[in-house]
């Protein structure tokens, strides 16, 4: 009897950070850019925005590859209910960090796993509470010039020099702040039929 072929896995993201994180699971996967409009709706809460975009990214790629299991993810920095996205420039990053210094920001990181062929669809939110130090303007400028995190929500890379900007991080899924909550992602992949810890036999 022929064995059932393994499900194809696709990461629906153009983020190099999410690729680096997914690599930790040692899975075979491909990458597709989802091409989704990330403009927030009027009065949309940051958590709702992150979930909507994660699902939209997964579904956009799943529509092209209906037999595949697709991962979509999104992160929105939540400053007292206001969504803060990727700064995109030095000037906007300065403003973001000035607004966040001495305050606690919730990084709303959402992940969705979708397979249209099997009808599977799950999503989860992994909020991360991050408290910033009361940074000086000089510290902000020096940090941005050193790391240039203009493609990161919240204008800081916690996996790099950006950790020096922080007082504390509170999360139950350690990789969520970098952009992909691997504990939640692993659980959904198992539910979707992707084996993470299977025994590899010699050819």
């Amino acid at each position: 009897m022929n064995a059932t072929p393994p499900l194809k896995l696709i990461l629906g993201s153009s983020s190099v950070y999410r690729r680096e994180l997914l690599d930790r699971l040692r899975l075979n996967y491909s990458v597709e850019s989802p091409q989704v409009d990330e403009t927030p709706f009027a009065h949309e809460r940051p958590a709702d925005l992150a979930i909507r975009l994660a699902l939209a990214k997964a579904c956009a790629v799943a529509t092209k590859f209906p037999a595949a299991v697709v991962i979509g993810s999104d992160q929105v920095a939540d400053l007292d209910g206001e969504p803060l996205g990727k700064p995109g420039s030095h000037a906007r990053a300065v403003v973001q960090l000035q607004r966040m210094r001495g305050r606690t920001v919730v990084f709303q990181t959402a992940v969705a796993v979708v397979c249209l062929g099997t009808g599977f669809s799950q999503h989860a939110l992994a909020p991360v509470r991050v408290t910033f130090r009361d940074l000086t303007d000089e510290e902000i400028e020096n940090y941005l010039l050193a790391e240039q995190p203009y493609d990161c929500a919240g204008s800081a890379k916690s996996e790099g020099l950006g950790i020096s900007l922080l007082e504390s991080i509170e999360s139950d899924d350690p990789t969520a702040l970098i952009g992909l909550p691997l504990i939640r992602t692993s659980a959904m992949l198992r539910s979707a039929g992707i084996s993470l810890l299977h025994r590899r036999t010699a050819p």
Side-chain angles (χ1 to χ4, degrees):
M1 185 169 62
N2 293 331
T4 302
L7 292 166
K8 178 179 176 62
L9 179 63
I10 301 176
L11 175 62
S13 176
S14 56
S15 167
V16 64
Y17 310 113
R18 292 192 178 104
R19 273 178 271 171
E20 290 172 352
L21 288 171
L22 190 56
D23 283 346
R24 297 186 189 184
L25 300 183
R26 303 186 182 187
L27 295 168
N28 292 321
Y29 70 94
S30 58
V31 176
E32 294 288 336
S33 179
Q35 302 297 322
V36 167
D37 182 359
E38 300 187 17
T39 305
F41 295 154
H43 310 299
E44 188 173 24
R45 296 189 313 155
D48 294 337
L49 172 61
I51 291 170
R52 177 174 65 82
L53 292 180
L55 278 166
K57 291 174 182 179
C59 289
V61 174
T63 299
K64 299 178 182 177
F65 304 92
V69 174
V70 182
I71 301 169
S73 186
D74 194 78
Q75 183 181 79
V76 180
D78 181 346
L79 181 61
D80 296 333
E82 178 187 348
L84 301 179
K86 301 170 186 176
S89 71
H90 182 87
R92 284 193 286 269
V94 169
V95 172
Q96 278 195 0
L97 289 176
Q98 286 176 337
R99 292 187 62 198
M100 295 188 297
R101 59 186 169 192
R103 303 176 70 180
T104 296
V105 180
V106 181
F107 285 77
Q108 305 285 6
T109 306
V111 60
V113 174
V114 172
C115 179
L116 295 183
T118 63
F120 182 87
S121 179
Q122 287 187 3
H123 66 270
L125 189 68
V128 184
R129 290 177 57 85
V130 177
T131 301
F132 284 78
R133 293 191 302 105
D134 191 9
L135 304 164
T136 66
D137 288 344
E138 182 181 11
E139 286 178 313
I140 290 172
E141 184 71 12
N142 289 344
Y143 167 69
L144 292 176
L145 290 176
E147 202 151 57
Q148 300 183 17
Y150 309 133
D151 60 346
C152 299
S155 304
K157 295 181 182 179
S158 64
E159 68 274 28
L161 181 60
I163 199 71
S164 67
L165 307 179
L166 311 180
E167 282 189 359
S168 66
I169 299 173
E170 300 174 37
S171 174
D172 64 357
D173 206 331
T175 58
L177 187 55
I178 305 174
L180 185 65
L182 287 181
I183 293 176
R184 286 165 173 78
T185 301
S186 296
M188 285 189 280
L189 289 177
R190 288 192 295 269
S191 295
I194 299 290
S195 178
L196 277 70
L197 294 172
H198 62 284
R199 182 187 296 274
R200 292 177 172 83
T201 57

